[in-house]
Amino acid sequence: MEEKTGQINLIVARGTSLVIRDFKTSDPYVIVKLGNQIAKTKVIRSCLNPVWNEEFSFSFSDPAEVLKLEVFDKDIFKADDKMGHAELSLQPLVAAARLRQILGVTTAAAAAATITKTTATSIDGMPLRKIIPEDDNCLAADSIINCVNGEIVQNVWLRLKDVESGDIELTVKLINLPPALPSK
């Protein structure tokens, strides 16, 4: 059994242009899965552009797993309707954190200090990696992994699959990085 030693905080921020599953609207909620861990947002009644702003914590192991999202329309007298799904690989986030560790760069100021031989003091906003939308991911727009207040943070818009329209905005914060696997 693999030990889960990494931790992320996930903010399910909002959805835009979600599909209609009731008469003129939907009652959306999101189920998030990471391995065997599951979290669910609250239901937002009669809304195609819901704002959840709900935060969840998940543990993970290395190699990093895939975060899975499913969006549903809440129904009372029948099964909830599917409104799309998406996935987000955590590997780029973990890789950016590992690179930062390997290089020993903890701040943007530290990087500047190395060049100018001055003292480092600040890290905020240092971009570590850019991920672009491709066929093998669900990104709706470019996603930047930054170092913010000493945390590795990725803001991302995911395009829902198997549905006419809909995007979900997430913020993923790497709280604890699992130890690196030994080299072979």
Side-chain angles (χ1 to χ4, degrees), residues 113-150:
T114 303
I115 296 167
T116 62
K117 301 194 188 319
T118 62
T119 304
T121 58
S122 174
I123 179 171
D124 285 344
M126 180 181 171
L128 299 172
R129 186 167 182 185
K130 177 180 180 179
I131 299 117
I132 60 172
E134 296 180 316
D135 291 340
D136 65 344
N137 66 36
C138 294
L139 295 180
D142 290 355
S143 177
I144 304 294
I145 299 173
N146 289 306
C147 192
V148 179
N149 296 327

Side-chain angles (χ1 to χ4, degrees), residues 1-7 34-37 58-62 65 176 178-179:
M1 184 172 144
E2 60 189 30
E3 185 177 334
K4 306 235 183 228
T5 55
Q7 181 180 343
L34 184 62
N36 61 1
Q37 304 164 91
F58 294 97
S59 58
F60 69 96
S61 57
D62 199 9
E65 300 162 61
N176 186 26

